[in-house]
Amino acid sequence: MQAIVKEKRAPGLSVKSVPKPTPGKGEVLIAVRHAGVCGTDLHIADWDPWAQGRIKPPIVVGHEFAGEIQGLGEGVTGLRIGQLVTAEGHIVCGHCLQCRTGNSHICKNTRIIGVDRDGAFAEYIVMPTTNVLTLSGIPTEVGAIMDPMGNAFHTVLTAEIPGSTVFVVGCGPIGCFAVGIARAAGATKVIASDVNPKRLALAEKMGANVVINAAKEDVVRTVITETDGEGADVVCEMSGVPSALHQAFASVRLGGRVQLLGIPKGDVPINFADEIIFKGITLYGVIGRRMYQTWHQMRRFLIGGQFDPRPVITHKFPLAKIEEALSVIRSGDAGKVILEIV
Ligand code: ZN
């Protein structure tokens, strides 16, 4: 089968033919139809310090996908050939303290497809049935981005949203999803900031009531004014940019909540007393998707028609055009970029 492979401990990815996998006990074989391209794939392609410490080539990359079940391993029940599915890409141990207390998203033994084992930028992938979710009418191009969309659902829905003002800091694809989810979940006002006008336009399309160009406007003052002098009830930090992190803390109201998803490159100096403690705020670190609460909430929002992520999808490429897909992500102007494998 055709796949995108990280072959060597050096920059670059290869499009090549690799053996088609066989489903083992409790696993299914899925023919991939759509796959989402993510910043993580860019790190792996560029072979940055994180990739150098984590990836063991050769490996098939890609972790966001949806497709059709075409083979069942031994002992698989409850799934059938022909079903359209997506999957949680974090394969967890099921026996650590976190897994046994309903917190598998922070399992200490997590292995991620396309990072720690073969991934989804291929014609076929094998997944354990525990991780497979049926699409039930959700199109595969939407199913393929339920992993990053799930990060946004996790970020937004673990805060109290109905009747709240929400400030989304950073309008990459996950930030844009967060804007639409916050509106769908009953936020009264959603404010979004970014430095890129194209991304701000996407946030507006997803329902942002107010957008702030952080390169030109006073972000904190605008949020305070737009929230009757209080600050936002909930701030979702989706950028990881140090200046934006300080804006997040300065824009949240006293006693508010800051959801942290964006990953800063290095250390960020924080004034704990003034930015966090004296404001009485709550911080929540977002990693992955709650298994499987986030997935069920997301399926219901999608199937119920309350939330449609498709305006955020700006580019589609065939599998072999991975380099073009990565370069539109590098440009910073793209929304969500997906690969079509059919
Ligand atoms: Zn575990």
Side-chain angles (χ1 to χ4, degrees):
M1 66 170 184
Q2 201 186 36
I4 297 169
V5 179
K6 183 72 183 175
E7 277 193 291
K8 295 187 287 268
R9 299 185 57 83
L13 295 173
S14 319
V15 182
K16 60 177 286 187
S17 189
V18 300
K20 180 175 163 181
T22 312
K25 196 175 175 188
E27 293 180 332
V28 295
L29 176 73
I30 301 165
V32 180
R33 287 200 183 167
H34 288 99
V37 188
C38 163
T40 303
D41 305 314
L42 203 60
H43 295 309
I44 297 171
D46 293 346
W47 201 238
D48 74 358
W50 169 81
Q52 290 173 31
R54 178 82 180 247
I55 309 292
K56 294 183 180 69
I59 187 174
V60 176
V61 299
H63 57 275
E64 307 171 359
F65 76 99
E68 184 184 330
I69 295 182
Q70 289 200 352
L72 305 176
E74 190 194 328
V76 172
T77 53
L79 291 169
R80 55 175 200 278
I81 291 184
Q83 270 181 320
L84 295 178
V85 296
T86 182
E88 165 61 60
H90 289 194
I91 295 165
V92 299
C93 75
H95 56 73
C96 71
L97 186 154
Q98 289 72 29
C99 283
R100 288 187 151 182
T101 53
N103 293 288
S104 297
H105 63 294
I106 40 175
C107 167
K108 66 165 75 164
N109 303 307
T110 301
R111 298 186 73 231
I112 305 178
I113 61 169
V115 172
D116 304 308
R117 58 182 263 167
D118 281 339
F121 292 170
E123 290 176 84
Y124 297 92
I125 185 172
V126 155
M127 287 299 295
T129 51
T130 47
N131 286 52
V132 173
L133 294 115
T134 55
L135 289 179
S136 311
I138 298 166
T140 52
E141 65 168 4
V142 174
I145 56 172
M146 283 171 79
D147 168 301
M149 213 192 308
N151 289 121
F153 272 98
H154 182 180
T155 306
V156 175
L157 296 188
T158 46
E160 197 178 307
I161 298 301
S164 291
T165 53
V166 177
F167 175 33
V168 176
V169 184
C171 299
I174 300 179
C176 287
F177 296 143
V179 165
I181 296 159
R183 285 296 305 270
T188 51
K189 185 181 261 189
V190 179
I191 306 166
S193 72
D194 202 286
V195 293
N196 182 324
K198 285 188 185 166
R199 291 180 160 203
L200 289 172
L202 268 183
E204 264 184 321
K205 235 183 194 175
M206 294 305 289
N209 303 96
V210 179
V211 294
I212 308 172
N213 185 330
K216 294 181 179 162
E217 296 166 65
D218 184 330
V219 173
V220 176
R221 187 155 25 137
T222 308
V223 175
I224 303 289
T225 307
E226 289 289 343
T227 53
D228 293 331
E230 299 288 355
D233 299 314
V234 177
V235 176
C236 301
E237 207 304 305
M238 318 300 263
S239 77
V241 174
S243 58
L245 272 157
H246 293 299
Q247 288 162 1
F249 294 130
S251 302
V252 71
R253 73 160 163 80
L254 297 170
R257 191 171 163 109
V258 179
Q259 310 288 84
L260 297 166
L261 176 129
I263 303 164
K265 274 210 180 80
D267 294 350
V268 179
I270 300 286
N271 181 332
F272 276 84
D274 292 337
E275 297 188 72
I276 299 172
I277 300 165
F278 296 152
K279 290 191 75 170
I281 63 174
T282 302
L283 303 184
Y284 179 73
V286 181
I287 172 79
R289 299 139 295 279
R290 292 196 63 91
M291 294 146 114
Y292 277 83
Q293 183 190 29
T294 303
W295 287 91
H296 289 296
Q297 291 171 321
M298 175 163 49
R299 285 176 89 247
R300 288 176 181 171
F301 271 76
L302 292 167
I303 293 167
Q306 281 161 279
F307 173 74
D308 185 352
R310 281 173 290 193
V312 183
I313 301 171
T314 54
H315 296 77
K316 294 179 189 176
F317 295 97
L319 187 66
K321 301 271 186 192
I322 183 68
E323 281 307 326
E324 286 173 49
L326 293 175
S327 63
V328 300
I329 295 178
R330 271 188 202 101
S331 78
D333 287 340
K336 192 66 204 173
V337 177
I338 64 176
L339 299 174
E340 293 183 297
I341 296 162
V342 268

